[in-house]
Amino acid sequence: MVYNEENNLKIFCRIYTEGELSVKKKIIGALLLSAVMVCTNTVAYAAEFKDLKNHWSQKYVDDVVAKGIIKGYEDNTFRPSKPVTKIESIVMISNLFDDAVINDIYSKNKAKYQASMEKSKIPAWAQKYIVFGAEKKLFPEKSIPYFMNHTKGKDVQSLSFRQEYAMLLVNALGFNAEFAKTPSVNYTDASKIDSKALPYIEVLGRKGIIQTSGKFNPKEKVTRAEAAVMISKSYAFSPKGKGGNTNPTPQSEMTYRGKLNSVYVNGNTVTINMTDINGIPKIFSNDISNIRVTVNGQVAGITDVKNGMDIVVTATGNKITALQVTGNGDSGTHNNNGEMGQIIGTVKSYGLNSIEVTEASSSVDKHFIISGNTKIMINGKEDQIKNINLGDNVTVVAVGDRAVQIIVAGANSQTAVGKIRDIGKDTISISNRSGEVSRYDVNSSTRIYRGKQRLDSLDRLYVGEKVSIKAAGFSAITIDVEESKIKLRSATVVGISLRNNKQSEIVVEDRDGQSYSLGTDTKTNVYVKNRLKSIEDIKLGYEVDVEAEDGYISEISTDGEYAFIRIQGKVVSVDYRNDVITVDTGSKEVKVMVVSDTEIRNSYNNMKRSIDNIYKGYDITVNGVSRAGGIDAERIIYYE
């Protein structure tokens, strides 16, 4: 998330710029409030902030100001480079929920946290957000003391780091249920990301909220400008953005001035796509009989409205009630990003952010960008991109290469071929030859085959296998795994599941960190120090060579040496006298030995700690060397 003021390059995120619609930056969404902001009643738009003129974040700041989520300072500045504190992070992310919900949870639970907050000297203005965040499990209650830094007689708010901010945001947006089974990222500094934070960061990248390449800088600070862009980009995923508040306040009538991008009429429904004076795209719709149209003060019809005209829209929420044309758009103040067009054809390929259509009249393939403002209609009803299928008859209304509306006549089954990129609990993602990634939902009715063998779950698949998926929308009907052979050298055994029927499962990790879940049976040959042994002689942490075919190990060999391994789990107990931590990894309990040179750190502030700071119930990640009876820990990261 490092921003270079000189060359306007944002590594951490990407933004779909309204002018070019090219991927530049996209940052997690967040609200930023400080004590000064809480006290002021003045709401300033980004265009008015004297320190934001021509700033890269200006229109996104304006967006969150327009939504009433964030305010500036009393001196009419925004202070975009100022770092965000941990408390401010919690406040801003809490404000992705409705105020009534926050106040209700605070009033019912404040007594429970009062002593902890007073001891930690949490500012009075932030206390209701701390209570709300703790109750909503945005962070563990035991983290509260770390929100303030008490040094040299001063009480100062601790600063917020990128990876912990990602974790807070994911918890608020409810993406936890979509964590990848084997999360991986492509950042050049991925090794610096704490393993506990990895699934949070991966899911944000998969959702398109953050960039998936370059540097992540997990322990760098979040700035106010970055935070404003974050909230603008992720607002649609939030409870408030989705209208999920339990006590919604009535929407008031608003007016928006800007440039008309397109008008689309489908039956009696009119959809207006515009860009407001701050460069923010907006879409409104309503029944044609409920829209009053005027051109230069004269009553007119919807057919008198043309692309590029200067307009004023009156709307309640996203329902337009009046459209005034104030100019023909010749001033050139706003960029329309191309003429509106419409093509009819069939869907050739698609993803969450794009669609490729083969035009019926020319057989030419055309590519369109899908944004949060793209309206998708399937069989006359508003729907989602995931329910479009390959081969569907489709009409695309677009401005340049940006899809404004996608209309599908019906849904057909589809078949996609590619290599497995990720396996989740109930999802599978594959990438095709072009590198495009598609994710499919897997349920109890999905049939999975490797060759002629029926598999009982996704656990029998591994990343890198070639598969053919037949699906309805993004729901997998069948998954056919191509029969394949693999050879691994100097891999590490990271999981073992022994079964009574002689069919066991071993999870190994190669030198690149890729995991493989492979089965064993009576035909599996096991060699330890060049002697034929049984699978029971393979230990967690052994360095092994593996040959497998169709997901089953034909031969596994080892010299009986332990390799460096990593485990994750929950602390079951801590023996402070003997320096031993018992960890439940989900499949078994592992004894972790804390030795003289073991490094122990707290994930939230990265401070060095001792075993005395670790308690039952903590989540923990351990790097070390597997030994008989457990692991000699080299590094421990714990999460309160």
Side-chain angles (χ1 to χ4, degrees):
M1 248 186 319
V2 174
Y3 184 78
N4 186 318
E5 300 279 358
E6 209 166 26
N7 59 19
N8 289 353
L9 174 63
K10 176 71 64 177
I11 296 176
F12 176 68
C13 58
R14 61 185 180 182
I15 298 174
Y16 289 102
T17 302
E18 178 64 17
E20 299 175 352
L21 297 173
S22 61
V23 178
K24 290 184 178 178
K25 317 174 187 88
K26 190 160 188 175
I27 307 174
I28 317 168
L31 163 68
L32 193 54
L33 291 175
S34 66
V36 176
M37 287 184 283
V38 170
C39 293
T40 179
N41 292 319
T42 301
V43 177
Y45 285 88
E48 299 174 355
F49 292 129
K50 59 187 179 183
D51 58 349
L52 271 187
K53 186 177 181 181
N54 297 323
H55 195 274
W56 61 273
S57 67
Q58 183 170 353
K59 72 175 182 178
Y60 298 94
V61 172
D62 185 68
D63 181 43
V64 295
V65 169
K67 287 182 170 73
I69 298 177
I70 186 169
K71 298 178 182 180
Y73 289 90
E74 290 179 321
D75 62 354
N76 201 32
T77 62
F78 186 76
R79 305 177 194 178
S81 300
K82 184 180 178 182
V84 177
T85 68
K86 295 182 189 296
I87 290 178
E88 290 170 340
S89 294
I90 293 164
V91 173
M92 63 177 77
I93 292 175
S94 295
N95 274 281
L96 291 172
F97 296 80
D98 186 70
D99 289 341
V101 177
I102 298 173
N103 292 332
D104 181 60
I105 289 178
Y106 173 64
S107 64
K108 292 178 180 178
N109 299 279
K110 60 183 178 181
K112 187 193 320 184
Y113 300 93
Q114 197 62 43
S116 175
M117 291 192 295
E118 289 179 358
K119 183 178 179 180
S120 303
K121 298 184 178 180
I122 301 296
W125 60 267
Q127 290 185 8
K128 76 171 182 179
Y129 300 96
I130 299 300
V131 171
F132 175 80
E135 283 296 306
K136 277 292 188 177
K137 307 299 182 185
L138 302 188
F139 57 87
E141 180 183 352
K142 292 180 179 180
S143 297
I144 293 177
Y146 299 115
F147 297 158
M148 297 296 293
N149 185 10
H150 313 287
T151 58
K152 298 180 180 180
K154 296 181 179 180
D155 301 318
V156 181
Q157 292 184 41
S158 304
L159 297 179
S160 184
F161 300 102
R162 289 178 177 82
Q163 65 177 13
E164 69 180 2
Y165 192 92
M167 295 170 74
L168 285 171
L169 186 65
V170 168
N171 289 338
L173 299 177
F175 291 159
N176 314 68
E178 301 181 43
F179 283 162
K181 180 180 178 182
T182 53
S184 62
V185 294
N186 297 320
Y187 303 111
T188 56
D189 58 350
S191 62
K192 296 180 180 179
I193 299 174
D194 289 342
S195 57
K196 180 67 175 181
L198 195 61
Y200 293 81
I201 294 166
E202 188 276 338
V203 74
L204 289 177
R206 188 175 357 120
K207 288 287 186 180
I209 293 176
I210 61 175
Q211 183 176 320
T212 56
S213 61
K215 292 185 71 176
F216 181 77
N217 295 318
K219 295 180 175 68
E220 291 293 327
K221 305 175 189 69
V222 183
T223 67
R224 282 176 54 83
E226 291 166 346
V229 180
M230 293 174 193
I231 193 67
S232 178
K233 285 297 177 181
S234 62
Y235 180 81
F237 295 103
S238 71
K240 186 177 288 186
K242 293 188 292 187
N245 49 304
T246 56
N247 297 299
T249 56
Q251 292 179 306
S252 58
E253 191 172 72
M254 302 285 290
T255 58
Y256 305 88
R257 185 180 298 275
K259 183 78 66 174
L260 178 66
N261 292 331
S262 66
V263 178
Y264 185 76
V265 180
N266 183 22
N268 291 324
T269 302
V270 175
T271 300
I272 302 293
N273 179 284
M274 67 174 293
T275 301
D276 70 14
I277 58 175
N278 298 301
I280 298 173
K282 297 183 183 297
I283 291 183
F284 305 95
S285 64
N286 205 346
D287 189 282
I288 193 169
S289 61
N290 296 326
I291 305 173
R292 184 175 185 272
V293 180
T294 58
V295 177
N296 296 324
Q298 301 296 317
V299 177
I302 198 68
T303 55
D304 297 314
V305 182
K306 308 298 181 185
N307 299 338
M309 287 181 166
D310 296 314
I311 61 172
V312 176
V313 167
T314 303
T316 301
N318 66 349
K319 284 190 174 296
I320 179 173
T321 56
L323 190 157
Q324 305 173 52
V325 176
T326 59
N328 59 17
D330 292 337
S331 61
T333 304
H334 305 285
N335 184 1
N336 196 38
N337 304 319
E339 295 294 327
M340 185 186 75
Q342 175 176 300
I343 73 163
I344 299 174
T346 56
V347 178
K348 182 178 181 181
S349 66
Y350 62 100
L352 295 178
N353 301 311
S354 65
I355 186 169
E356 190 175 19
V357 176
T358 302
E359 189 173 20
S361 60
S362 64
S363 298
V364 174
D365 297 333
K366 296 188 176 181
H367 182 272
F368 300 95
I369 295 170
I370 297 172
S371 69
N373 293 321
T374 303
K375 191 170 186 178
I376 298 170
M377 304 292 294
I378 299 179
N379 296 331
K381 295 182 179 180
E382 191 165 351
D383 211 322
Q384 303 177 50
I385 182 66
K386 69 178 184 179
N387 294 323
I388 293 178
N389 302 301
L390 297 181
D392 281 349
N393 295 321
V394 66
T395 299
V396 178
V397 180
V399 177
D401 63 350
R402 176 167 52 87
V404 175
Q405 191 166 29
I406 300 174
I407 304 169
V408 182
N412 304 313
S413 63
Q414 59 165 327
T415 300
V417 178
K419 289 186 177 181
I420 299 176
R421 177 170 175 175
D422 183 69
I423 302 171
K425 181 181 178 181
D426 299 307
T427 61
I428 183 171
S429 298
I430 66 172
S431 57
N432 60 21
R433 291 182 180 179
S434 302
E436 295 178 335
V437 179
S438 298
R439 186 165 68 99
Y440 298 91
D441 296 325
V442 178
N443 54 46
S444 58
S445 63
T446 303
R447 299 183 298 278
I448 307 173
Y449 298 92
R450 179 179 279 110
K452 295 180 180 180
Q453 181 185 10
R454 175 84 179 263
L455 305 181
D456 55 359
S457 73
L458 286 173
D459 293 336
R460 302 311 309 270
L461 309 183
Y462 60 85
V463 173
E465 285 193 293
K466 188 175 181 180
V467 296
S468 174
I469 298 178
K470 183 179 180 181
F474 276 85
S475 296
I477 300 171
T478 60
I479 302 175
D480 290 298
V481 185
E482 183 179 279
E483 296 180 302
S484 58
K485 296 180 180 180
I486 62 170
K487 288 185 178 182
L488 302 175
R489 295 291 178 261
S490 300
T492 303
V493 178
V494 296
I496 303 176
S497 177
L498 300 177
R499 303 175 184 174
N500 295 329
N501 60 3
K502 301 299 181 182
Q503 288 189 341
S504 302
E505 185 177 55
I506 293 182
V507 182
V508 295
E509 187 176 278
D510 65 17
R511 285 173 290 185
D512 295 325
Q514 180 171 305
S515 296
Y516 300 81
S517 298
L518 303 170
T520 68
D521 54 23
T522 55
K523 297 180 181 180
T524 300
N525 292 320
V526 180
Y527 293 93
V528 179
K529 295 182 178 179
N530 294 321
R531 293 189 177 185
L532 190 63
K533 296 285 185 177
S534 68
I535 197 66
E536 287 82 1
D537 294 298
I538 300 296
K539 306 298 182 184
L540 183 70
Y542 271 8
E543 187 173 280
V544 295
D545 292 341
V546 177
E547 293 185 9
E549 184 173 359
D550 300 336
Y552 281 85
I553 297 174
S554 55
E555 182 176 304
I556 181 170
S557 59
T558 178
D559 289 332
E561 298 292 333
Y562 288 96
F564 183 83
I565 65 170
R566 181 179 68 185
I567 65 166
Q568 291 178 268
K570 191 172 290 293
V571 175
V572 176
S573 64
V574 184
D575 183 346
Y576 299 104
R577 176 174 296 181
N578 297 306
D579 291 339
V580 177
I581 304 170
T582 303
V583 179
D584 183 358
T585 64
S587 59
K588 64 181 298 185
E589 291 188 357
V590 179
K591 300 291 185 182
V592 176
M593 275 68 78
V594 177
V595 295
S596 59
D597 58 349
T598 301
E599 178 186 352
I600 301 176
R601 290 185 180 271
N602 179 291
S603 69
Y604 281 92
N605 56 20
N606 203 36
M607 292 182 64
K608 285 189 176 182
R609 299 292 182 184
S610 69
I611 191 174
D612 295 331
N613 297 103
I614 299 176
Y615 298 95
K616 179 181 177 180
Y618 280 9
D619 290 326
I620 193 171
T621 298
V622 180
N623 291 340
V625 177
S626 183
R627 303 292 187 191
I631 296 174
D632 286 348
E634 292 190 5
R635 189 167 189 260
I636 295 175
I637 304 293
Y638 68 90
Y639 310 83
E640 300 180 38

